[in-house]
């Protein structure tokens, strides 16, 4: 499945106006690169779908992505001194539609509880950027994109990417917008890994960081679950060694099974019990067969099949691998405190009591590493029975903590309520 | 004394030991408040002394309140988490009405003086005459309006008297820079009054400590 901004424009069905800007910026290695920004403005939403193209991205593996594209949504207005930008990083199966309608599913944005006018991440006050990660399938360069060297879809020829590469690509993006320092970087789960990577590698460009329900390295258990998911995809005969797009097949079943297994890890025993218990699905008694007798089975099947409509199987393989490779401990000789040496960034670490995928103790490790640097850190462990998914849900204590943290930061940085009167539009 | 004046101006809203602690802290200091509750002291110090403040609090609800107010507070435990802080990373480490609830007060005190140049400790004085009287007259563990829990459900497991505390400071080579107590009527007893009077009349005491050179 490919999904590019073009497709999205059609699904939106509104009178869109396209703007193409050319501009020059300096890349990470100090070389001048030319980048182009294609802007699509939706007539009746406040978000903008944009793509950013750059000449090349040198990857951690040693390979180079050339050229590469980042598709992103932006909300609000960048102020004159470009000091009010908040970067929202999405999770494994997330995308750039944090606070705008999803073009494929038609659902509202995945983080509208936090992002929007008057919300803690107030789009009336801040310029909010949400990019699709490199390796993703919603317009950023990924395994479903065309390999310029062969003219064919990358498939498994797509180079292995890391969380570090995703963030490096985002650095190019904010460079192209002339943003020197992000007011805040926020994200949950894999989004939280990107936040930690930003704060560790580019700390002077991050005024405040909000890593939620995440860890500084992917645990053995989590790698194990990811491996189950990948094997499910690859075991589907329609996967065709990753060349399903050319073969006009679709490993739907494999990807759906991967999603079903993963989905269990996003919930909790308590949440499943209170939501479904042993309730039967539209029947009085069990059928003595392998039909979805139980509501929980039916729910998981639904989750699995809904997912394949919007996600690319190879992207799933690549992005899960990127998470597996993430290890800020190893990058600093086993001592996490080394990742945040003398950091000036303000941190707000958030975890949830029933999250067993990224348990509280892993957030506490981050907090300990930060306190070892006498960093400015807040840490809230939110009591919830919703499991890992809680970071996407209406958890009032999470919302009030983030709101308090962001407004205190704004005060410290001297961002006024009318910060976006003038600026980029 | 100026603290008394402030206390009269704010008879209910601000805890008296907080006002005394505030008087001991210099402007723009880096302050770590251990057992900071919902951040009342940090907020007071931020507003009136422009401090760079951090807090540790064991109760999660309190932490969430403090963070929602924009304070830098983490959920943690004085007994367990102080070891993570680097040496001399703060000007003041404050332990207000918390030391009696720690498992190892001596170790916590040593940690405070490792992390910060000055430690400020406030604690309920078990040598106060009313408490002595309760034990003497009724033969039961004291229950007061400030210490309302029964012996079996109190989080306060290490009570001490002013004299006990002063002895501990001496034993761990710590200098008492200043000691102020609050008597049963909310009046302050300053340094000029001999220690045994603090021990008898002080309901709460606040000690400003530094490491002996």
């Amino acid at each position: 499945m490919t999904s590019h901004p073009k497709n999205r424009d059609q699904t939106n069905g509104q009178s869109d106006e396209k703007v193409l800007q050319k501009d020059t910026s300096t890349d990470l290695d100090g070389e001048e690169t030319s980048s182009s920004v294609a802007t699509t403005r939706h007539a009746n939403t406040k978000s903008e779908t944009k793509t950013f193209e750059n000449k090349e991205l040198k990857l951690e593996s040693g390979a180079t992505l050339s050229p590469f594209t980042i598709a992103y949504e932006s909300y609000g207005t960048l102020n004159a001194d470009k000091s009010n930008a908040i970067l929202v990083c999405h999770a494994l199966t997330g995308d750039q539609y944090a606070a705008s309608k999803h073009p494929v599913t038609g659902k509202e944005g995945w983080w509208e509880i936090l992002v929007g006018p008057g919300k803690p991440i107030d789009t009336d006050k801040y310029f909010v950027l949400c990019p699709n990660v490199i390796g993703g399938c919603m317009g950023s360069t990924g395994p479903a994109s065309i390999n310029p060297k062969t003219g064919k879809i990358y498939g498994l020829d797509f180079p292995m990417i890391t969380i570090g590469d995703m963030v490096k690509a985002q650095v190019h993006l904010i460079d192209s917008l002339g943003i020197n320092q992000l007011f805040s970087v926020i994200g949950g789960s894999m989004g939280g890994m990107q936040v930690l990577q930003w704060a560790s590698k580019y700390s002077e460009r991050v005024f405040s960081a909000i890593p939620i329900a995440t860890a500084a390295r992917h645990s053995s258990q989590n790698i194990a679950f990811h491996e189950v998911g990948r094997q499910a995809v690859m075991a589907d005969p329609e996967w065709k060694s990753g060349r399903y797009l050319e073969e006009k097949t679709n490993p739907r079943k494999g990807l759906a099974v991967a999603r079903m297994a993963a989905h269990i890890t996003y919930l909790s025993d308590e949440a499943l019990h209170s939501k479904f218990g042993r309730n039967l699905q539209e029947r009085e008694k069990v059928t003595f067969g392998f039909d979805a007798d139980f509501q929980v089975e039916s729910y998981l099947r639904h989750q699995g099949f809904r997912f394949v409509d919007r996600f690319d199987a190879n992207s799933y393989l690549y992005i899960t691998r990127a998470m597996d490779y993430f290890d800020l401990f190893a990058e600093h000789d086993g001592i996490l405190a080394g990742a945040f040496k003398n950091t000036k960034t303000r941190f707000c670490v958030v975890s949830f009591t029933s999250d067993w995928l990224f348990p509280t103790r892993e957030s506490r490790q981050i907090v300990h590493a930060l306190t070892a640097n006498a960093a400015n850190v807040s840490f809230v462990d939110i009591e919830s029975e919703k499991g890992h998914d809680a970071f996407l849900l209406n958890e009032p204590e999470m919302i009030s903590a983030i709101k308090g943290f962001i407004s205190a930061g704004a005060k410290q940085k001297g961002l006024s309520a009318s910060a976006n009167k003038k600026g980029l539009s | 004394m100026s603290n008394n004046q402030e206390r009269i101006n704010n008879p209910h809203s601000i805890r008296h030991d907080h006002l005394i602690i505030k008087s001991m802290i210099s402007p723009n200091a880096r302050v770590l408040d251990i057992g900071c509750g919902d951040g009342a002291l940090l907020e007071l110090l931020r507003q009136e002394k422009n401090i760079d403040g951090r807090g540790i609090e064991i109760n999660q609800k309190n932490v969430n309140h403090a963070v929602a107010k924009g304070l830098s507070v983490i959920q943690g435990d004085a007994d367990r988490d102080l070891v993570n802080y680097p040496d001399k990373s703060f000007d003041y480490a404050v332990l207000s009405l918390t030391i009696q609830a720690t498992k190892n007060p001596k170790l916590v005190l040593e940690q405070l003086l490792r992390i910060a140049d000055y430690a400020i400790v406030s604690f309920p004085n078990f040598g106060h005459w009313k408490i002595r009287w309760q034990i003497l007259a009724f033969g039961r563990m004291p229950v007061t309006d400030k210490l309302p829990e029964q012996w079996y459900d109190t989080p306060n497991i290490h009570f001490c008297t002013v004299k006990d505390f002063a002895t501990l400071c001496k034993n761990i080579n710590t200098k008492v820079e200043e000691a102020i107590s609050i008597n049963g009527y909310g009046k302050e007893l300053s340094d000029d009054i001999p220690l045994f009077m603090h021990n008898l009349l002080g309901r709460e005491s606040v000690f400003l400590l530094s490491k002996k050179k």
Side-chain angles (χ1 to χ4, degrees), chain A residues 28-234:
Chain A
L28 286 181
D29 311 310
E31 293 167 38
E32 285 239 311
T33 56
S34 88
S35 63
S36 63
V37 180
T39 306
T40 307
R41 242 170 258 161
H42 302 310
N44 62 350
T45 62
K46 282 192 188 127
S47 76
E48 293 185 31
T49 305
K50 302 177 186 179
T51 56
F52 157 76
E53 278 170 39
N54 206 322
K55 262 186 188 159
E56 63 169 29
L57 184 68
K58 285 180 184 137
L59 303 173
E60 246 179 271
S61 65
T64 302
L65 258 191
S66 175
F68 72 97
T69 300
I70 298 179
Y72 65 100
E73 291 278 292
S74 71
Y75 313 90
T77 312
L78 189 62
N79 62 6
D81 57 358
K82 304 189 175 186
S83 60
N84 69 335
I86 296 182
L87 181 73
V88 175
C89 302
H90 70 72
L92 165 61
T93 61
D95 48 47
Q96 64 270 43
Y97 301 101
S100 39
K101 207 170 161 189
H102 195 281
V104 179
T105 65
K107 284 193 152 190
E108 64 173 33
W110 53 267
W111 230 6
E112 295 207 7
I113 50 150
L114 275 184
V115 185
K119 306 273 175 71
I121 298 174
D122 189 347
T123 51
D124 288 339
K125 185 171 177 185
Y126 304 108
F127 177 62
V128 181
L129 281 167
C130 185
N132 185 212
V133 295
I134 289 290
C137 53
M138 293 305 284
S140 291
T141 305
S145 306
I146 302 291
N147 181 353
K149 281 191 192 113
T150 61
K152 289 180 181 163
I153 291 167
Y154 272 113
L156 293 196
D157 291 335
F158 191 72
M160 212 47 97
I161 41 127
T162 63
I163 300 292
D165 296 329
M166 294 173 184
V167 168
K168 197 174 177 186
Q170 292 162 2
V171 173
H172 282 289
L173 171 64
I174 71 155
D175 280 346
S176 79
L177 297 169
I179 297 165
N180 184 43
Q181 190 189 50
L182 291 161
F183 168 61
S184 197
V185 185
I186 181 170
S189 198
M190 186 184 84
M193 289 177 167
Q194 294 165 66
V195 173
L196 295 175
Q197 176 73 19
W198 264 101
S200 170
K201 188 99 188 268
Y202 309 98
S203 75
E204 71 290 349
R205 305 195 67 172
V206 181
F207 177 77
S208 68
I210 312 177
I212 306 171
T214 193
R217 65 178 163 209
H218 214 215
S219 71
S220 180
Q221 177 174 264
N222 290 2
I223 295 170
F225 277 117
H226 275 177
E227 176 59 4
V228 169
R230 285 189 293 265
Q231 289 301 329
V233 169
M234 293 191 279

Side-chain angles (χ1 to χ4, degrees), chain A residues 252-284:
Chain A
R252 293 173 61 85
K253 283 184 179 163
L255 185 59
V257 170
R259 176 62 167 182
M260 286 166 78
H263 201 83
I264 302 166
T265 69
Y266 303 152
L267 305 173
S268 70
D269 187 27
E270 275 169 291
L272 284 171
H273 178 77
S274 61
K275 199 167 181 180
F276 306 109
R278 290 182 52 83
N279 296 344
L280 299 179
Q281 179 69 19
E282 292 165 357
R283 61 200 69 189
E284 296 294 309

Side-chain angles (χ1 to χ4, degrees), chain A residues 284-337:
Chain A
E284 296 294 309
K285 50 190 181 206
V286 297
T287 59
F288 295 99
F290 292 113
D291 232 22
D293 276 354
F294 295 97
Q295 277 179 9
V296 64
E297 294 173 291
S298 165
Y299 169 78
L300 279 182
R301 288 182 189 191
H302 174 72
Q303 288 296 328
F305 281 101
R306 218 181 51 180
F307 177 62
V308 298
D309 292 334
R310 67 172 180 90
F311 216 83
D312 175 57
N314 284 340
S315 268
Y316 194 80
L317 303 183
Y318 276 90
I319 300 175
T320 53
R321 204 68 183 136
M323 288 178 77
D324 293 350
Y325 284 160
F326 187 63
D327 187 351
L328 278 183
F329 286 79
E331 280 178 36
H332 298 88
D333 305 318
I335 298 161
L336 185 59

